[in-house]
Amino acid sequence: MTKRTDTIRLGAFLMATGHHVAAWRHPRAAKDAGVDIEHYVSLAQKAEAAKFDMMFLADSQGGFVDRDDPESIARMAGVAGLEPITLLSAIAARTQRIGLVATATTTYYPPFLLARLFASLDTVSGGRAAWNLVTSAAAGEAQNFGLEQHPEPEVRYARAAEFAAVVKGLWESWEDDAFPRDRDSGLFADPSKLHILGHKGAHLSVAGPLNVPRSPQGHPVVVQAGSSEPGRELAAATAEVVFTAHQTLASAADFYADVKGRMARHGRRPETLKIMPGVMAVVGDSERHAREKYEELQALVHPEIGKRFLARLFEDDRLLEHDENQPLPEWVQVDGRKSRPALLLDMARREDLTARELHLRVTGARGHWTIFGDAGQIADQLESWFDGHGADGFNVMPPHLPDHLDDFIAEVLPELRRRGRFRTDYEGTTLRENLGLPFPEHPARRAAALAEAAE
């Protein structure tokens, strides 16, 4: 395996008290962390001091509540929290370099509103915003927007591709120097540098222009989460960062090669996309110590949580009555277009896991790679995926906050730096610069340059 010459990119994927479903029950957890701005600011400032590329916030438009089963929320800490763009706007005022990634769905947001929100966040943060493009997974979201259920995956992804193009077009409403704001001449905006979208498509009709100037990064970084077939194609066409889930280097490397191999069809170069799988890294004095730390959280998982988690994951309430000490029944099936349930069902079948073993495996990382060890062992494993072209970096998912983020920063990052695998300081001021992504030249500039070259 050849050692890569570039460096590992890192995101801090932050979820209130941590990714583990029982993290809120830990005695050191802040029970109201999900609505505590000071908690999030503290985490963001720690991640920035450690030189993480970005912090990442997931979101669902109300999909965590089962309306037919109100009791299901009784032990779930994630049913109430803050809207991520609002939260990141507050964090932007108290940080300087770390990237700010928020999730927003193409299925239920209007594209003009989404484009305006993220362009505004990019502007107020000085060029640190990123949009995590999703098509929505939780079935309950649909009913908050006048639908009984999600559109079919093919429809959602077709809309998402058009939506991404519309948002990018809106972000290009103005050229970089479109606002001279010249008091002497009275010229505030140069109309020759305004580009009205006028989009009418199969799913969307958006006139434009956007009423926010072109932002410091040209436009916010586009992140995409999803590993299904349409998700891969969408990532190859539109994404600059991909957040994905894999259990093995072989699977990660296959995904990496597949997605980057599709990019040429869309006129893109592989280096303009960073693939960053999720990793839950538990650090201890030894692998045994790390596993003992994790077992403290596992012991806090209420049995009811595990049953309900599997029933929702596989969309089959019969699992609520299934003996958790037995393997999943043969009648559990998954729509192959849903990548995460398919990944977990395959893992359960392959490893002959009982229902309890499966839910304990996934109530922390939800199917993402989970690793244990001392700083050297964790660094070894991250390097193996990086050098094996399974990842350009990782979205680090602390099971419990703040302790496990603190451990990763204090133990693993110094080891990665000692090996020359992670930065000692930021390369620039924008997220795009720090990720090593090119500045997106405005299409009008590209067209003018081509015309000049042709003369």
Side-chain angles (χ1 to χ4, degrees):
M1 185 182 297
T2 304
K3 183 175 180 178
R4 290 171 60 168
T5 58
D6 53 338
T7 54
I8 294 172
R9 309 295 174 177
L10 291 177
F13 187 177
L14 305 178
M15 291 188 70
T17 54
H19 281 267
H20 196 282
V21 71
W24 71 274
R25 299 183 69 192
H26 192 280
R28 285 178 49 79
K31 292 184 287 187
D32 62 348
V35 292
D36 182 355
I37 179 61
E38 294 302 326
H39 169 75
Y40 278 106
V41 167
S42 174
L43 295 174
Q45 290 175 339
K46 286 180 181 182
E48 181 172 71
K51 314 304 180 188
F52 275 78
D53 290 87
M54 57 194 178
M55 62 173 289
F56 182 103
L57 297 179
D59 191 46
S60 171
Q61 295 288 339
F64 295 122
V65 174
D66 185 342
R67 298 171 186 85
D68 298 324
D69 183 15
E71 291 296 318
S72 66
I73 72 167
R75 298 178 177 86
M76 293 292 292
V79 297
L82 298 173
E83 188 280 318
I85 301 174
T86 305
L87 176 56
L88 289 178
S89 297
I91 291 171
R94 296 172 66 180
T95 54
Q96 295 181 319
R97 295 290 186 88
I98 193 166
L100 307 168
V101 188
T103 298
T105 173
T106 59
T107 303
Y108 300 114
Y109 264 95
F112 186 92
L113 174 61
L114 186 146
R116 189 181 188 204
L117 287 169
F118 279 93
S120 297
L121 178 60
D122 202 41
T123 300
V124 301
S125 67
R128 294 185 285 135
W131 165 38
N132 178 39
L133 184 165
V134 300
T135 65
S136 288
E141 293 181 63
Q143 295 167 30
N144 287 337
F145 294 88
L147 300 176
E148 285 303 310
Q149 58 188 16
H150 283 323
E152 287 297 307
E154 292 83 0
V155 175
R156 295 206 309 275
Y157 274 100
R159 174 186 163 90
E162 185 178 339
F163 191 111
V166 167
V167 167
K168 186 176 180 182
L170 289 169
W171 284 337
E172 294 169 344
S173 294
W174 305 93
E175 294 181 38
D176 300 271
D177 55 351
F179 292 90
R181 300 181 178 92
D182 188 329
R183 289 192 178 100
D184 293 337
S185 68
L187 185 68
F188 185 84
D190 184 343
S192 71
K193 297 184 177 183
L194 165 64
H195 301 271
I196 297 174
L197 182 63
H199 175 84
K200 292 183 181 294
H203 302 274
L204 302 164
S205 178
V206 183
L210 191 66
N211 53 351
V212 180
R214 201 161 195 241
S215 65
Q217 295 189 99
H219 63 69
V221 172
V222 178
V223 183
Q224 199 261 335
S227 300
S228 64
E229 172 60 29
R232 293 178 186 218
E233 193 64 25
L234 183 63
T238 66
E240 296 171 283
V241 176
V242 170
F243 177 43
T244 182
H246 297 279
Q247 292 287 326
T248 66
L249 173 56
S251 171
D254 177 75
F255 176 85
Y256 186 101
D258 180 52
V259 173
K260 295 211 175 193
R262 299 172 188 234
M263 295 177 69
R265 296 203 302 267
H266 301 281
R268 304 183 64 203
R269 303 189 312 276
E271 63 270 21
T272 63
L273 172 64
K274 306 298 180 184
I275 295 180
M276 300 175 64
V279 59
M280 180 175 282
V282 186
V283 189
D285 297 334
S286 63
E287 181 178 346
R288 179 178 177 179
H289 180 228
R291 290 184 182 277
E292 288 172 351
K293 290 168 67 173
Y294 191 68
E295 285 304 317
E296 292 178 7
L297 290 172
Q298 294 286 68
L300 298 175
V301 177
H302 194 283
E304 193 69 16
I305 288 289
K307 287 186 176 184
R308 291 183 185 280
F309 180 88
L310 294 182
R312 293 185 68 189
L313 175 71
F314 296 118
E315 298 179 351
D316 197 323
D317 285 346
R318 290 178 293 176
L319 286 170
L320 294 172
E321 306 301 325
H322 178 66
D323 182 353
E324 66 174 4
N325 295 310
Q326 297 297 318
L328 292 178
E330 289 299 321
W331 42 257
V332 174
Q333 300 294 327
V334 170
D335 182 339
R337 297 171 297 180
K338 298 179 179 179
S339 58
R340 188 64 54 80
L343 180 151
L344 296 176
L345 182 60
D346 176 70
M347 180 176 71
R349 302 281 195 231
R350 184 178 67 251
E351 300 183 28
D352 195 28
L353 301 177
T354 67
R356 177 171 175 76
E357 288 170 335
L358 178 62
H359 79 64
L360 285 176
R361 185 82 66 89
V362 300
T363 48
R366 300 179 309 286
H368 290 278
W369 188 34
T370 303
I371 56 179
F372 304 88
D374 61 24
Q377 290 172 309
I378 298 295
D380 287 345
Q381 294 175 83
L382 298 180
E383 280 191 303
S384 71
W385 279 39
F386 182 66
D387 288 331
H389 295 281
D392 296 307
F394 302 91
N395 235 355
V396 178
M397 304 168 59
H400 169 244
L401 290 167
D403 291 3
H404 289 136
L405 178 63
D406 292 343
D407 291 344
F408 191 90
I409 290 172
E411 303 294 335
V412 179
L413 292 189
E415 179 62 20
L416 289 174
R417 289 190 175 106
R418 186 187 68 78
R419 302 179 185 197
R421 310 316 297 263
F422 188 63
R423 66 164 62 89
T424 57
D425 200 0
Y426 287 111
E427 293 82 4
T429 59
T430 70
L431 175 58
R432 192 173 290 283
E433 288 171 332
N434 291 324
L435 285 171
L437 295 171
F439 183 88
E441 188 177 20
H442 194 283
R445 291 291 181 88
R446 291 198 300 272
L450 289 171
E452 184 178 345
E455 292 178 355

